[in-house]
């Protein structure tokens, strides 16, 4: 533990995922305890997490709680269903009161956001945004795995307005000759329906990790991801787009293809994206698979700062 962390406030974090929940205690960015809970029904999953938080709090009080959850979520604090899960394909979770079940267990400030917004904040605070030679006041965190989600950290705050970003359902320009219909139950060939893990399994007829990196069909996947990254850079002027998740971090060869196609697709229009700079702009998360858990802690720190 860093010496300054030893005197930092004790924070609680919950990273709520579609298959598992990580419940954390941390001082500063240093995680001192973590427990895993399988994601089953809302009552069982949130109940277990709340009981664990209560037990920990009884032994040593938390200063704040951060909740980083899969979505879609209602994040408007003025809404009657603030902190609830919006309609989701995950059975039984639509309408679940995530914030109430977890924040109601602790008498301390609390914050809730999407898991990808939390990860973006963690990367800005402790990861890619703080590495030598970078000045990231604006970055995007993408996760490509079971689904595709994206969050933004801009000037130290997560981005949301009427909702939070839903990058997975953007429609992109398809590669010429690519007739894969997509796998999204809502939109077919939105970007999630083209490049998520289930989409790759449908596109290839088997899981993507079994496909040779030399398979020419990866060119279409790289084209699609580059289309999304280009859209992000053109609309937000983010300094970095970090690509995590099983697909994002599991295939360095794919990321190299994405970079090359991105430079070509942009055609020199964005002067900061060149063949020399693109590897520092489009990259894997500096925090690796810790970006998600630390995202919950970053949200707890935000809750502590804002009261």
């Amino acid at each position: 533990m860093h010496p300054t962390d030893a005197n930092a406030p004790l924070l609680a974090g919950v990273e709520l995922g579609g298959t598992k929940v990580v419940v954390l205690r941390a001082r500063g960015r240093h995680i001192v305890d973590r427990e895993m809970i399988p994601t089953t029904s809302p009552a069982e999953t949130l109940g277990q997490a709340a009981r664990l938080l209560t037990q920990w709090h009884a032994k040593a009080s938390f200063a704040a709680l951060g909740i980083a959850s899969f979505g879609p979520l209602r994040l408007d604090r003025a809404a009657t269903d603030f902190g609830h899960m919006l309609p989701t394909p995950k059975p039984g979770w639509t309408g679940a009161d995530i914030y109430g079940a977890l924040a109601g267990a602790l008498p301390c400030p609390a914050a809730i956001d999407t898991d990808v917004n939390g990860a973006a904040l963690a990367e800005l605070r402790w990861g890619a945004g703080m590495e030598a030679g970078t000045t990231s006041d604006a970055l995007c965190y993408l996760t490509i795995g079971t689904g595709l989600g994206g969050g933004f950290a801009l000037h130290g705050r997560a981005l949301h307005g009427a909702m939070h970003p839903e990058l997975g359902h953007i429609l992109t320009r398809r590669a010429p000759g690519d007739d894969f219909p997509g796998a999204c139950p809502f939109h077919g060939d939105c970007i999630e329906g083209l490049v998520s893990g289930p989409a790759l399994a449908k596109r290839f007829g088997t899981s993507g990790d079994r496909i040779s990196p030399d398979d020419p069909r990866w060119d279409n996947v790289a084209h699609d991801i580059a289309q999304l990254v280009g859209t992000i850079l053109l609309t937000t002027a983010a300094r970095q787009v970090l690509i995590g998740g099983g697909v994002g971090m599991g295939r360095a060869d794919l990321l190299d293809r994405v970079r090359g196609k991105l430079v070509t697709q942009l055609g020199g229009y964005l002067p900061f994206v060149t063949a020399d700079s693109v590897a520092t702009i489009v990259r894997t998360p500096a925090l690796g698979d810790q970006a998600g858990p630390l995202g919950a802690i970053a949200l707890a720190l935000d809750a502590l700062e804002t009261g």
Side-chain angles (χ1 to χ4, degrees), residues 52-64:
L52 180 57
L53 291 171
T54 301
Q55 291 166 9
W56 280 351
H57 182 76
K59 297 176 182 177
S61 297
F62 291 117

Side-chain angles (χ1 to χ4, degrees), residues 181-208:
C184 174
F186 295 96
H187 312 115
D189 64 347
C190 63
I191 189 66
E192 180 175 289
L194 293 173
V195 305
S196 66
L200 295 181
K202 185 174 180 181
R203 184 193 285 264
F204 294 143
T206 186
S207 62

Side-chain angles (χ1 to χ4, degrees), residues 4-292:
T4 58
D5 285 343
N7 298 318
L10 186 63
L11 303 170
V14 178
E15 183 195 15
L16 177 60
T19 58
K20 71 177 185 300
V21 180
V22 184
V23 187
L24 308 155
R25 287 197 291 184
R27 289 195 184 276
R29 64 161 288 184
H30 183 77
I31 296 171
V32 296
D33 281 301
R34 76 174 71 203
E35 295 286 343
M36 301 279 194
I37 297 170
T39 304
T40 55
S41 69
E44 182 177 12
T45 304
L46 299 174
Q48 282 185 264
R51 285 190 293 275
L52 180 57
L53 291 171
T54 301
Q55 291 166 9
W56 280 351
H57 182 76
K59 297 176 182 177
S61 297
F62 291 117
L65 166 67
I67 305 164
S69 174
F70 73 93
L73 300 171
R74 180 75 71 199
L75 298 178
D76 180 0
R77 283 188 172 268
T80 57
D81 59 348
F82 166 70
H84 287 62
M85 187 72 67
L86 295 171
T88 173
K90 187 163 183 61
W93 281 82
T94 296
D97 184 3
I98 311 295
Y99 183 85
L102 298 174
L106 299 177
C108 64
I112 184 171
D113 214 316
T114 61
D115 48 1
V116 282
N117 262 353
L121 284 175
E123 284 287 344
L124 192 71
R125 192 183 288 256
W126 301 305
M130 293 298 294
E131 289 188 345
T134 64
T135 55
S136 281
D137 51 2
L139 63 76
C140 175
Y141 180 94
L142 291 176
T143 181
I144 308 177
T146 304
L148 190 154
F152 293 89
L154 306 173
H155 303 290
R157 290 287 179 262
L159 175 66
H160 40 76
M163 269 187 65
H164 48 77
E166 280 286 2
L167 298 181
H169 299 280
I170 287 176
L171 297 172
T172 59
R173 184 168 58 181
R174 304 291 301 278
D178 182 11
D179 59 0
F180 174 57
C184 174
F186 295 96
H187 312 115
D189 64 347
C190 63
I191 189 66
E192 180 175 289
L194 293 173
V195 305
S196 66
L200 295 181
K202 185 174 180 181
R203 184 193 285 264
F204 294 143
T206 186
S207 62
D209 58 5
R210 297 186 177 185
I211 303 300
S212 165
D214 298 324
D215 191 304
R217 291 174 295 181
W218 284 116
D219 273 344
N220 289 337
V221 177
H223 168 98
D224 295 336
I225 297 173
Q227 284 279 304
L228 174 62
V229 173
T231 297
I232 291 167
L233 295 176
L234 288 163
T235 55
T236 69
R239 295 185 189 273
Q240 292 175 301
V241 179
L242 311 177
I243 304 182
V247 176
M249 290 192 291
R251 302 204 66 106
D253 54 289
L254 177 60
L255 199 55
D256 284 338
R257 290 194 194 210
V258 169
R259 293 178 181 126
K261 289 187 178 296
L262 173 66
V263 172
T264 300
Q265 289 173 10
L266 289 174
Y269 186 77
L270 294 180
F272 65 96
V273 184
T274 67
D276 292 329
S277 68
V278 69
T280 64
I281 296 168
V282 183
R283 48 163 294 179
T284 55
L287 298 174
D289 60 6
Q290 295 305 297

